[in-house]
Amino acid sequence: MIDLTDILSAVSGVVVGFVLGLLGGGGSILAVPLLLYVVGLRDTHIAIGTSAVAVAANALIGLAGHARAGNVKWPCATVYAASGVVGAWIGSTIGKSIDGKALLGAFAIAMLAVGANTLWRKRQEGNPDVHLSMAIAGRLAGFGLLTGLAAGFFGIGGGFLIVPGLLAGAGMAMLNAIGSSLLSVAALGSTTATNYAVSGLVDWRIAAFFIVGGVLGSFLGIVLGKRLASRKGLLSAIFGWVVIVVGLYVLEQAIFGG
């Protein structure tokens, strides 16, 4: 029997999927606040573990679309994801051991960083024909490990870190970085989800409804994104401010909440 929690989980998934489809990233940072303050999960760790499951699933869906379009640089993406998995396991293990309120405060600070990055990030041009070399592999492995640590600790997809990491490490074009980043998002999310799941910190029913909503939201976001392609800068700015406002609210709850 479907109840209010199921509906709120699906609606929250629609919101995250819609942002991902519309802007090509960033929406997963809203998953934990939605699970805590809309769906009503009481445990920060369960919210992080559950969001990681949904983030990984939505990333796989997006990856399939980019792969069909030929936007994924598989050798570079694989190196980044492999090192990121190691970092994500370490980061999520540390995150599980941190007090819930302290972890929520750290997550809020991460949200503020994501919002600021979204507002001030400059679009970069790159080489669409880049090929993996030993030097590039070394840089990607380093960036991947650091990204994985952060993504695992905060239970986020980390796309806002992965895309710049791929650009800096391999010098690939932005479209290729966005497509290739989804392999790492899926891998890091799966790693974090697995680490939390073995400790019983995933609500699978909520995750399932969140994923279903995310699929619908992604479709709607992609359709609208094509129509508003010329206004992506404005949409990204609005999203950046939304993340900052939500981040401030989460920080206030972490400091003064019950």
Side-chain angles (χ1 to χ4, degrees):
M1 188 72 178
I2 296 177
D3 58 23
L4 180 60
T5 298
D6 298 332
I7 295 172
L8 292 175
S9 299
V11 171
S12 297
V14 169
V15 172
V16 171
F18 180 77
V19 173
L20 286 170
L22 184 64
L23 301 178
S28 61
I29 196 70
L30 297 174
V32 171
L34 285 168
L35 288 171
L36 288 172
Y37 306 120
V38 176
V39 177
L41 285 176
R42 300 297 183 186
D43 189 303
T44 302
H45 294 101
I46 293 178
I48 288 176
T50 303
S51 72
V53 174
V55 165
N58 286 333
L60 285 173
I61 294 169
L63 177 63
H66 278 280
R68 285 194 298 270
N71 297 332
V72 181
K73 295 291 185 180
W74 290 104
C76 294
T78 301
V79 170
Y80 201 104
S83 61
V85 164
V86 176
W89 188 266
I90 297 171
S92 56
T93 299
I94 296 172
K96 287 193 301 181
S97 67
I98 301 296
D99 174 74
K101 292 197 71 172
L103 185 59
L104 192 61
F107 185 88
I109 293 172
M111 288 193 72
L112 297 178
V114 172
N117 178 72
T118 302
L119 289 174
W120 290 297
R121 185 175 68 189
K122 303 297 184 182
R123 288 283 175 177
Q124 294 178 261
E125 297 297 329
N127 179 13
D129 298 317
V130 66
H131 294 287
L132 186 66
S133 66
M134 289 299 295
I136 289 176
R139 292 196 296 269
L140 291 176
F143 283 124
L145 181 64
L146 294 174
T147 301
L149 284 168
F153 184 80
F154 294 114
I156 56 178
F160 72 100
L161 292 172
I162 297 168
V163 170
L166 287 168
L167 290 171
M172 63 179 64
M174 175 62 76
L175 182 60
N176 295 132
I178 291 173
S180 300
S181 73
L182 292 173
L183 178 62
S184 290
V185 173
L188 303 190
S190 298
T191 302
T192 301
T194 300
N195 203 348
Y196 274 75
V198 297
S199 299
L201 297 174
V202 172
D203 189 313
W204 293 102
R205 182 181 177 93
I206 287 177
F209 278 93
F210 201 103
I211 291 168
V212 170
V215 172
L216 174 60
S218 293
F219 173 77
L220 295 175
I222 290 171
V223 171
L224 184 60
K226 291 179 179 178
R227 296 183 179 181
L228 300 178
S230 62
R231 301 183 181 180
K232 281 293 181 69
L234 175 61
L235 295 173
S236 293
I238 293 172
F239 171 72
W241 283 112
V242 168
V243 171
I244 288 175
V245 171
V246 175
L248 290 171
Y249 175 77
V250 174
L251 185 60
E252 185 273 334
Q253 289 294 303
I255 297 174
F256 302 109

